[in-house]
Amino acid sequence: MRLLPAVAVLSLLLSACGQAPAPAAPAAPAAATPPVPVASDPAQAVLAASQRFGQLRSFHASLHMQGPRTLDARMEFVAPDRYRLQTDEGVQTIIGDTFFLQRAGEVRQVPVPPGLLAQWRSPLPADATAAELQVEALGEERVEGQPARRYRVRHASAAPDGMLYWINAAGLPVRIERQGQTQGKAFKVTVDYSRFDDPTLQIAVP
């Protein structure tokens, strides 16, 4: 999954930080939602969900990685290019191609490769087509108490070995999961998405 390199790079930059992460916002009460419609073309459903996600003005993502190392991270995005990353090492801000590294009460600006975090805006490549996807519909399953439809997706560059992809009733991806191997060791990455277009999400310059 394309999210993995960004998290790995940023976690290395964060390794020297000791600031405690901000507490997660309390979950809103669950509301009744209609069943997720069944798409006649699974590939089109997955592609449309990815494209719709890329147009969001804000979202929250929670990542959990198990394998050679364990990593828990939370990411918040506010358009056009503001990100807030929270890990066990601390809370950091990325705006454009600048990483505002906060340590010992000081803020240092560190350049990051262009587009490093842009991949969080689209679970699949922005120029992907339905013909490039191999998609298998796996039925309905609840994610965080809400109904969603689960798919197995393969894409030559983004997910050559496949990933699981959950789409909610609004046609947005709410969970992505990938299992594979890195350096001969198994890993599993799960990313949950929420707070779509939440106007209360704000990211200020440190």
Side-chain angles (χ1 to χ4, degrees):
M1 184 174 8
R2 302 182 308 139
L3 299 181
L4 194 54
V7 173
V9 170
L10 289 174
S11 65
L12 291 176
L13 291 174
L14 290 168
S15 60
C17 302
Q19 180 181 351
T33 56
V36 183
V38 179
S40 57
D41 185 339
Q44 286 289 357
V46 169
L47 183 61
S50 183
Q51 292 172 340
R52 190 175 292 114
F53 183 83
Q55 297 171 358
L56 292 174
R57 300 294 299 171
S58 62
F59 66 82
H60 175 94
S62 297
L63 179 144
H64 178 67
M65 181 171 67
Q66 298 172 293
R69 60 174 299 184
T70 297
L71 174 65
D72 287 291
R74 294 187 296 276
M75 174 76 79
E76 291 173 342
F77 165 78
V78 175
D81 58 0
R82 297 192 174 207
Y83 300 83
R84 180 165 48 232
L85 177 70
Q86 304 178 46
T87 72
D88 290 340
E89 286 84 16
V91 181
Q92 303 297 332
T93 302
I94 304 95
I95 298 177
D97 298 327
T98 302
F99 189 174
F100 294 85
L101 180 59
Q102 301 175 65
R103 181 175 58 188
E106 298 181 352
V107 178
R108 182 163 57 96
Q109 295 186 27
V110 180
V112 297
L116 177 67
L117 296 179
Q119 58 188 282
W120 285 78
R121 301 256 349 245
S122 178
L124 293 171
D127 59 353
T129 65
E132 297 172 330
L133 303 177
Q134 298 178 34
V135 182
E136 177 187 2
L138 301 176
E140 187 168 314
E141 185 174 296
R142 300 186 79 82
V143 175
E144 299 294 332
Q146 299 298 312
R149 296 206 68 82
R150 184 165 63 115
Y151 300 87
R152 187 179 305 279
V153 182
R154 287 182 174 83
H155 182 276
S157 62
D161 52 354
M163 64 180 176
L164 295 177
Y165 199 105
W166 286 259
I167 300 175
N168 69 5
L172 287 166
V174 289
R175 174 173 291 172
I176 295 175
E177 180 182 295
R178 181 184 172 190
Q179 300 184 51
Q181 288 196 343
T182 177
Q183 298 180 343
K185 297 182 179 180
F187 71 85
K188 176 181 177 181
V189 179
T190 303
V191 183
D192 287 324
Y193 295 105
S194 61
R195 300 183 68 180
F196 303 125
D197 281 339
D198 184 343
T200 66
L201 279 178
Q202 302 290 330
I203 301 176
V205 177

